[in-house]
């Protein structure tokens, strides 16, 4: 899978993903250092990372109007691609022009990091809002396979108190481990259930986590009117073999959701060697947020 990170947030998250060999990483930012080409596909993390250094501009309009042709940077790229950017950054104004350059080469999804908007200046806030709305419209138009929304405020709330130094690392770790595990399970066979694809119209999504009892779902974005949901259970294989009541617990959670909120629910149960069990959640909607 290809990961494209634009701006600091996008590049930081791409860096965390680079520790897994499943991803080819493309980082784009102003004043960034690194190789323009992959050194090798399967060596160390740095070998799977390539970097495009953009000339620094004074504001979003300038970034938007000075997007270079990046065909040699993206040469040979194909298949599933996740583009990641943080909304309020000036450089995020390059998003659409970059997406246009790659949309015909790959199956394109965007991960949009919604910053804490209460901390933004009026100008940054307007810029953030514009990017957020445009991305939702192009997702709904079918140009994107999926637009994943993630709010830094929600991630922070899930983690509890996050220290100032290492703040981004902490929230990025939670986000990346969730995305990565969901990717792994999407490519594995469940021992029970099936991860269903969402309806054509459901192109706005977010991730969530919960304990396996389904006591408290914690969502990475407070999605308005979730229409579809998929529970991905990551459960220790020994417990899957020995615990008689697991099946009942899972079925009860899934049924309760389906009945109370009138939404389409699917689930998959996956065996792991991890001691800790988790439930990862995908929430989908077709409604503009
Ligand atoms: N989750 C997460 N959010 C980040 C991270 N770094 C920055 N952000 C948020 O992303 C938003 C955009 O900021 P940056 O990513 O620094 O901006 P940029 O894309 O580099 O754009 P410029 O304004 O051109 O520097 C900010 O509101 C930050 O709160 C990160 O590592 N992780
Ligand atoms: Mg920056």
């Amino acid at each position: 899978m290809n990961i494209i990170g634009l701006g600091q947030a996008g590049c930081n998250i791409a860096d965390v993903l680079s520790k897994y060999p499943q991803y080819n990483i493309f980082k784009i930012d102003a004043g960034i250092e690194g190789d323009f080409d992959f050194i090798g596909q399967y060596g160390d993390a740095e070998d799977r990372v390539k970097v495009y250094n953009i000339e620094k501009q004074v504001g979003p309009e300038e970034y938007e109007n000075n997007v270079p042709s990046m065909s040699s940077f993206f040469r040979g790229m194909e298949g599933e691609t996740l583009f990641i950017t943080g909304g309020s950054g000036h450089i995020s104004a390059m998003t659409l022009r970059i997406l246009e350059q790659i949309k015909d080469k790959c199956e394109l999804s965007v991960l949009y990091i919604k910053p804490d908007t209460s901390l933004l200046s009026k100008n940054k806030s307007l810029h953030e809002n514009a990017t957020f709305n445009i991305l939702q419209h192009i997702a709904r138009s079918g140009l994107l396979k999926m637009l994943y929304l993630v709010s830094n405020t929600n991630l922070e709330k899930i983690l509890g108190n996050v220290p100032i130094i290492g703040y981004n690392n902490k929230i990025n770790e939670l986000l990346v481990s969730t995305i990565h595990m969901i990717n792994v399970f999407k490519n594995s066979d469940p021992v029970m259930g099936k991860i269903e694809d969402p309806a054509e119209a459901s192109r706005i999504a977010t991730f969530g986590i919960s304990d396996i009892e389904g006591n408290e779902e914690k969502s990475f974005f407070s999605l308005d009117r979730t229409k579809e949901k998929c529970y991905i259970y990551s459960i220790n294989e020994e417990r899957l073999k020995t615990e008689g009541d697991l099946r009942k617990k899972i079925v009860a959670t899934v049924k309760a959701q389906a009945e109370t909120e009138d939404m389409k629910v699917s689930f998959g149960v996956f065996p792991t060697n991890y001691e800790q069990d988790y439930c990862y959640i995908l929430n989908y909607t077709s409604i503009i947020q």
Side-chain angles (χ1 to χ4, degrees), residues 51-72:
V51 164
Y52 199 116
N53 186 10
I54 296 284
E55 200 176 318
K56 194 169 168 52
Q57 306 290 330
V58 295
E61 290 78 20
E62 290 74 13
Y63 275 113
E64 187 177 7
N65 295 326
N66 289 289
V67 178
S69 162
M70 304 177 90
S71 54
S72 76

Side-chain angles (χ1 to χ4, degrees), residues 6 64 67 83 92-103 131 134-135 138 143:
L6 173 66
E64 187 177 7
V67 178
F83 181 99
S92 70
M94 295 177 75
T95 298
L96 288 190
R97 298 264 165 92
I98 297 175
L99 296 180
E100 270 167 19
Q101 296 189 36
I102 53 174
K103 67 176 177 7
T131 315
I134 292 167
L135 281 173
I138 66 165
L143 184 79

